[in-house]
Amino acid sequence: MKRYAFFISDGTGITAETLGNSLLAQFERLEFERITMPYVDDEEKAHAAVAKMNQAAQDSGQPVILFDTIVNKSIRAIVDSADAFKVDIFATFLAPLEQELGTESSYSVGKSHLATDSHDYQARIDAINFALDNDDGARTRQYAEADIILVGVSRCGKTPTSLYMAMQFGIKAANYPLTEEDMLDLKLPKSLSEHRDKLYGLSIDPDRLALIRSERRANSRYASLKQCYLEVEEVELLYQREQIPYISTTARSIEEIATRILADTGLQRRLKT
C-alpha cells in the first residue's frame, strides 16, 4: 500500500530529503509518494503544508510520514498538528549532541548550505567548471590539472560520474571516450598515455549499453548489440593490458560509482559538506 512521505523544511529541504530517503530506501516492499516542501518559513506556509499533509492522509487512509528540519518553534507547533508520523531530524540528533558537547546548538536555518565566503563553495564551482570544460574529450590540454580522468566507451556513464564527483567531492574529473579507432591497436591515445596514473576506466554490460544507445540512435550500427559487445570487450582488454583500474557501471548508482572510485584511487574529497 502506498504511503505519503513529506520532507518539510524552513530551508532548502536537502537535509530532510537526504536522511529521509536513506531511511525509506530500507523498506523495499513499500511504495512511497514523496513530496518535498522547502522554505516553509512563515505560519501561512506552515498551515498550507498541514492542509496538504492532512489531505494526503485522508486520501490514503493513513497518517503521512513526515521528515522535517523546521527550526522556528511557532512554525514547528503548526506543522506538528498534522496527521503524520513525525521524524524530527534536528530534535533526534541535536539534543544528544548538545548534551555530549556541553553547549547548545545555534538552530540556524540552512547552516550546512551556506555559500558566502566558503572555500568549499569555490572548490565545488571550480570542479564543476572543470568537468564541463573537459567533458567527452573536448579538451586534453588541461589534463595536467585533473585529479582523475575517466575513460570508457560512449554512454557508459562518464559524464554524470564526472559531474557528481565535482559537485559532491570537489574533484576535478575529466572524461575521455574510447572509440573503436582508439582501440584498434589496444593502445592508449597519446593524450591519455601522458597521464596514465590518473586514468580510471568505466565498463558496462553490452546489453545494457545497446539499450542506452538505442534511445539516442535507434537502429544504428552504434547501438547494435554486436557493436556494443565488440567495444566493451576491446576496452576491457585495453584496461587489463595497460593495468588501468576499472568498474562496471551496469548495476551501480552514480553515487556508488563515484564513491568506489575514490576508495580505489585514494583521492580525498575537497568538500566538508
Side-chain angles (χ1 to χ4, degrees):
M1 185 177 296
K2 182 167 68 175
R3 295 289 297 268
Y4 284 88
F6 279 75
F7 309 97
I8 296 182
S9 173
D10 41 14
T12 63
I14 293 173
T15 301
E17 280 185 325
T18 301
L19 183 56
N21 279 319
S22 295
L23 294 173
L24 294 180
Q26 304 303 313
F27 300 92
E28 298 175 359
R29 296 183 180 179
L30 298 180
E31 181 183 355
F32 295 97
E33 179 76 24
R34 294 169 168 83
I35 299 171
T36 301
M37 301 185 71
Y39 301 113
V40 179
D41 50 11
D42 61 37
E43 294 189 4
E44 182 179 353
K45 293 177 183 176
H47 283 297
V50 169
K52 191 166 186 175
M53 285 189 284
N54 287 344
Q55 184 62 56
Q58 183 178 337
D59 292 344
S60 65
Q62 299 181 89
V64 305
I65 310 298
L66 169 60
F67 298 92
D68 83 88
T69 53
I70 300 289
V71 172
N72 184 282
K73 291 182 179 179
S74 62
I75 296 174
R76 170 176 297 285
I78 296 171
V79 171
D80 282 348
S81 68
D83 184 8
F85 174 82
K86 305 171 189 66
V87 182
D88 182 345
I89 294 172
F90 278 174
T92 301
F93 296 107
L94 283 182
L97 273 173
E98 286 177 335
Q99 185 174 358
E100 173 63 25
L101 297 174
T103 186
E104 291 186 355
S105 160
S106 65
Y107 286 90
S108 300
V109 179
K111 200 73 172 178
S112 62
H113 306 293
L114 294 176
T116 306
D117 298 325
S118 167
H119 177 270
D120 276 6
Y121 182 76
Q122 190 58 51
R124 191 193 311 272
I125 295 301
D126 289 345
I128 291 171
N129 285 333
F130 184 88
L132 292 172
D133 286 344
N134 294 275
D135 181 45
D136 214 24
R139 299 181 183 178
T140 59
R141 64 179 182 274
Q142 296 179 335
Y143 280 5
E145 300 175 33
D147 297 310
I148 193 167
I149 304 168
L150 302 182
V151 294
V153 299
S154 172
R155 309 301 285 179
C156 69
K158 300 182 300 299
T159 295
T161 302
S162 298
L163 287 171
Y164 183 88
M165 293 178 76
M167 294 178 68
Q168 297 298 320
F169 305 138
I171 296 294
K172 289 185 175 181
N175 74 79
Y176 186 99
L178 292 169
T179 66
E180 191 174 3
E181 290 73 22
D182 290 325
M183 294 179 284
L184 283 176
D185 299 321
L186 285 182
K187 190 175 180 180
L188 288 171
K190 183 180 178 182
S191 58
L192 295 182
S193 61
E194 293 173 346
H195 304 283
R196 198 193 163 292
D197 59 326
K198 297 182 179 183
L199 302 183
Y200 194 99
L202 301 185
S203 188
I204 189 172
D205 177 76
D207 295 272
R208 174 63 179 157
L209 180 61
L211 287 173
I212 295 172
R213 288 183 173 185
S214 291
E215 294 177 1
R216 189 178 186 183
R217 293 186 209 164
N219 303 315
S220 65
R221 178 174 179 270
Y222 168 79
S224 71
L225 197 56
K226 180 180 179 180
Q227 181 66 17
C228 291
Y229 267 90
L230 175 65
E231 290 186 30
V232 170
E233 181 179 358
E234 288 185 341
V235 81
E236 290 188 357
L237 284 173
L238 180 63
Y239 295 156
Q240 293 163 17
R241 175 174 173 173
E242 297 290 335
Q243 296 184 318
I244 298 170
Y246 70 96
I247 187 175
S248 173
T249 64
T250 307
R252 290 182 169 94
S253 66
I254 295 298
E255 296 88 343
E256 185 180 358
I257 296 165
T259 305
R260 173 56 62 187
I261 291 171
L262 258 65
D264 287 350
T265 60
L267 282 173
Q268 297 296 314
R269 62 185 298 162
R270 291 200 173 93
L271 309 179
K272 296 191 290 289
T273 57

